[in-house]
C-alpha cells in the first residue's frame, strides 16, 4: 500500500483525467440546457436584389480606343 502512496504522479494523472472528464460533461450539459431554452435562431432571409446587366459590344468606341 505504501508503494501506491509514493507514486504521487499516478494520482496526479488520474485526478487530471477525472477533472477533464468532469469539465467536459458539465460543458455538454450546459450547452444542451441552453440550446433547449433558447428560441431557434432564424436564418437570414434572402433579400431581393435588382440586377442590371449591360452588354458591351466588341465594336464599341471604348473598346476601339483601348486597343
Amino acid at each position: 500500500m505504501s508503494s501506491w502512496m509514493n507514486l504521487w504522479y499516478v494520482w496526479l494523472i488520474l485526478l487530471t483525467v477525472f477533472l477533464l472528464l468532469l469539465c467536459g460533461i458539465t460543458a455538454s450539459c450546459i450547452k444542451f440546457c441552453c440550446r433547449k431554452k433558447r428560441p431557434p435562431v432564424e436564418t437570414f432571409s434572402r433579400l431581393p436584389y435588382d440586377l442590371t446587366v449591360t452588354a458591351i459590344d466588341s465594336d464599341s468606341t471604348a473598346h476601339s480606343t483601348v486597343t
Side-chain angles (χ1 to χ4, degrees), residues 6-58:
N6 291 337
L7 298 175
W8 58 270
Y9 52 89
V10 174
W11 293 109
L12 183 64
I13 292 171
L14 288 174
L15 181 66
T16 305
V17 169
F18 176 73
L19 287 176
L20 286 173
L21 187 65
L22 188 66
C23 287
I25 292 171
T26 305
S28 296
C29 289
I30 289 173
K31 187 177 179 181
F32 180 74
C33 290
C34 289
R35 182 185 296 165
K36 207 172 187 180
K37 291 179 183 177
R38 213 174 11 181
V41 178
E42 293 182 22
T43 57
F44 293 109
S45 61
R46 292 186 161 224
L47 298 174
Y49 292 105
D50 290 334
L51 183 65
T52 305
V53 178
T54 305
I56 298 176
D57 192 11
S58 62

